[in-house]
Amino acid sequence: MIEAGEESMKKVWESLSNSGTQEEAYPDNPRTDIRGMFSFQPKRILDIGCGLGAVSGTIKHDFPETFAWGCELNPITADVAQTRLDKVSRSPMEAWGGDELELLKSVDTVLLLDVLEHMYNPWSTLQILREHLPEHAQVIVSLPNCANIHIFHELANGFWHYKPAGVLDVTHIRFFTQYEMQKMFYETRFKVARQAYPYFLPYIQEDRVFPFWFGGESMQVHVKDQSHWESLNAVQIYFNLVTAYDEQLNEEELMLKHGRHPETLS
């Protein structure tokens, strides 16, 4: 039975504008934890999907010699970022002209923090970066992991519940598992130098003997080892990417880059 007033509650899709973006305020989060993924202290940053400029703006505040360049498509948000950063581009990378592409050659660090899943073609963005970044550059990526236990459980019960934020954010266009993230990176000619799981579901705290079956009446997952268990409990995954040639890749990495996708039922 619907309680009085419930029928007037705002639906999550009602927060979307005609462009597919949310009308809600952008979070002003400096995300200082992402600095643990740096291989070196950035001197010239490109922050794609910079929002209000909190992340790269805070780095610039802490290290004033840093050049901080943001890319933000929301004009109101970009205006705020402009007060914090040295430069803000307001068009997608695919539309950049010669000056911006030339400037990209001087960047040593790119931030792609929960932005690739909002793009229709994230592969194209990564290809442009690979073509124009200097060889020593690092690319820091944060992506939500749709292959976590909670999502499996909801799917087993017939749900794919869009939310205002999180893994099933209603503005997400692309959804990735850890394998699909890695394959996207290698196919666009990057190499994973480091990865980390910043947020775990509570099950990870329980002692386990591998392998084992995990789940309930609607779902059972065969957990192979500790690494598999960590990936199933990871809500988000961080990556440090570097450019790499085939001769710098091992056999498994070469398969990710050149091999066919494993056969699936779908």
Side-chain angles (χ1 to χ4, degrees):
M1 179 176 178
I2 298 177
E3 298 291 335
E6 279 192 29
E7 63 273 13
S8 63
M9 289 175 61
K10 190 173 183 179
K11 314 286 192 303
V12 64
W13 51 266
E14 291 178 320
S15 68
L16 294 173
S17 66
N18 290 333
S19 66
T21 60
Q22 285 195 76
E23 297 172 347
E24 309 297 332
Y26 278 60
D28 199 17
N29 182 1
R31 298 186 66 171
T32 53
D33 65 319
I34 206 73
R35 299 186 193 182
M37 296 302 296
F38 293 159
S39 298
F40 53 83
Q41 180 59 46
K43 293 183 178 179
R44 297 183 66 82
I45 296 174
L46 169 59
D47 187 351
I48 299 177
C50 67
L52 299 168
V55 178
S56 47
T58 301
I59 294 173
K60 182 172 179 62
H61 176 270
D62 294 344
F63 303 94
E65 71 280 4
T66 305
F67 173 79
W69 170 20
C71 177
E72 176 55 50
L73 306 188
N74 183 304
I76 297 174
T77 309
D79 286 343
V80 177
Q82 187 68 70
T83 67
R84 296 173 165 179
L85 310 181
D86 296 291
K87 175 181 175 64
V88 176
S89 297
R90 299 168 186 248
S91 59
M93 187 178 292
E94 288 77 6
W96 285 1
D99 290 345
E100 285 168 311
L101 292 177
E102 188 64 29
L103 182 60
L104 187 54
K105 296 177 181 178
S106 71
V107 168
D108 63 25
T109 301
V110 177
L111 303 181
L112 289 164
L113 306 182
D114 298 302
V115 65
L116 291 174
E117 67 273 21
H118 294 271
M119 297 180 180
Y120 177 75
N121 192 349
W123 298 270
S124 175
T125 295
L126 289 167
Q127 283 182 311
I128 294 171
L129 289 174
R130 180 63 179 87
E131 181 179 352
H132 294 280
L133 283 175
E135 295 293 333
H136 68 279
Q138 61 183 349
V139 179
I140 309 301
V141 180
S142 171
L143 276 170
N145 175 31
C146 74
N148 71 62
I149 291 168
H150 282 182
I151 301 297
F152 285 167
H153 185 267
E154 290 192 4
L155 275 172
N157 285 284
F159 303 119
W160 186 264
H161 183 195
Y162 284 109
K163 306 286 183 66
V167 178
L168 297 187
D169 185 319
V170 70
T171 63
H172 289 180
I173 297 173
R174 301 296 179 188
F175 298 88
F176 297 95
T177 67
Q178 180 176 343
Y179 175 86
E180 306 299 348
M181 297 175 198
Q182 292 175 335
K183 191 155 183 64
M184 173 172 63
F185 300 147
Y186 281 94
E187 287 184 342
T188 53
R189 298 184 295 152
F190 285 98
K191 171 187 172 69
V192 176
R194 183 184 171 197
Q195 69 178 36
Y197 304 116
Y199 310 112
F200 280 127
L201 298 174
Y203 312 109
I204 199 71
Q205 305 301 329
E206 303 172 11
D207 291 333
R208 299 287 177 177
V209 177
F210 302 98
F212 69 94
W213 286 91
F214 180 86
E217 294 181 4
S218 301
M219 176 202 72
Q220 289 283 332
V221 177
H222 187 247
V223 184
K224 295 176 289 187
D225 51 33
Q226 181 68 30
S227 177
H228 187 205
W229 184 228
E230 289 179 354
S231 70
L232 288 171
N233 280 274
V235 178
Q236 202 169 27
I237 306 179
Y238 287 175
F239 296 92
N240 178 310
L241 308 180
V242 296
T243 61
Y245 298 98
D246 281 9
E247 55 267 27
Q248 298 170 292
L249 305 179
N250 61 36
E251 186 174 345
E252 182 180 352
E253 291 171 322
L254 287 170
M255 283 299 297
L256 282 166
K257 182 175 181 179
H258 298 294
R260 296 181 61 182
H261 195 286
E263 292 294 327
T264 60
L265 296 177
S266 58

